Amino acid sequence: MRRSQVTTVSLLAVLALGACTNAKDVLEPSAITPPASSAQSSATPQSTSTPATSATTTAPAPSPAPSTTTTRATPAQTAALAKTRLQVAPIVGASVDAAAPLTAELQSRAKQRGLTLVGSTDQTATHVLKGYFSTMSEGKDTTVIYVWDIYDPSGNRLHRINGQQKAPAVGSGEGWPTVAPATMQAIADQTIDQFAAWLGSGGAG
């Protein structure tokens, strides 16, 4: 695929191409056991009239294992995280095999940051995190493009986190089968850290 620079506009355009996802490409966060097979797909964020800000990050290729270093929280972040109960909606766009390490690392990183994750049926959630993923192959590299929308319990979108993670492809072929677990774990770490930063800046209010 011809290399092209991904901007926020092109990011959403890429995601819009994959509006249709199969049921097997949706991973319930509480079910992180990978199945025997995976499939490549794309996804599109749900539209909403609620204004939202965005923060785009592009990170280098991750190391074989995710970093256990936790960014030191500010007093504001610590207070906001302590009273936040985050519900992670089923992941859209990524194969189940690719989403499994993402979900597991979201849980681990949230625990490190003092953030409580709750199940899909929990009625005490203060925020809902919905993720949409797609891939782009560039030579020997695969870029994972992601968008996270943060909602309040009433369904109003409060904030958007989007970005991309580029890493050398593993295995053969293109798309999700070439995405290493470490790539998805790095995205999870960045997501929780950005969510915490947003809360600390006043997002919880």
Side-chain angles (χ1 to χ4, degrees):
M1 178 175 181
R2 181 177 301 173
R3 179 179 298 276
S4 60
Q5 182 177 3
V6 180
T7 63
T8 301
V9 174
S10 64
L11 167 65
L12 297 180
V14 170
L15 292 176
L17 293 176
C20 297
T21 55
N22 297 325
K24 66 181 179 180
D25 295 325
V26 179
L27 178 68
E28 186 69 37
S30 60
I32 60 175
T33 301
S37 62
S38 61
Q40 178 181 359
S41 63
S42 301
T44 300
Q46 298 175 348
S47 59
T48 174
S49 59
T50 305
T53 59
S54 66
T56 303
T57 59
T58 302
S63 57
S67 171
T68 56
T69 302
T70 301
T71 303
R72 185 179 297 277
T74 65
Q77 287 179 358
T78 300
L81 288 169
K83 64 181 181 180
T84 298
R85 296 177 63 82
L86 180 63
Q87 181 183 98
V88 181
I91 306 302
V92 177
S95 69
V96 177
D97 282 348
L102 171 80
T103 302
E105 185 63 18
L106 284 173
Q107 295 170 343
S108 176
R109 192 66 164 188
K111 184 176 181 180
Q112 290 178 14
R113 299 304 300 266
L115 173 64
T116 299
L117 295 187
V118 299
S120 59
T121 60
D122 196 302
Q123 300 299 312
T124 66
T126 59
H127 298 78
V128 179
L129 185 67
K130 296 183 179 181
Y132 311 89
F133 287 73
S134 65
T135 62
M136 181 173 64
S137 297
E138 302 175 271
K140 296 182 179 180
D141 296 331
T142 298
T143 299
V144 177
I145 303 167
Y146 59 92
V147 174
W148 295 99
D149 282 333
I150 303 168
Y151 294 87
D152 66 15
S154 298
N156 299 307
R157 192 175 70 186
L158 305 175
H159 186 61
R160 171 168 284 181
I161 297 170
N162 56 57
Q164 54 186 301
Q165 185 75 27
K166 183 177 181 179
V170 297
S172 59
E174 295 184 346
W176 291 113
T178 69
V179 177
T183 300
M184 303 303 283
Q185 291 167 335
I187 291 174
D189 289 341
Q190 295 164 17
T191 298
I192 293 298
D193 289 347
Q194 290 185 47
F195 178 75
W198 171 71
L199 283 177
S201 69

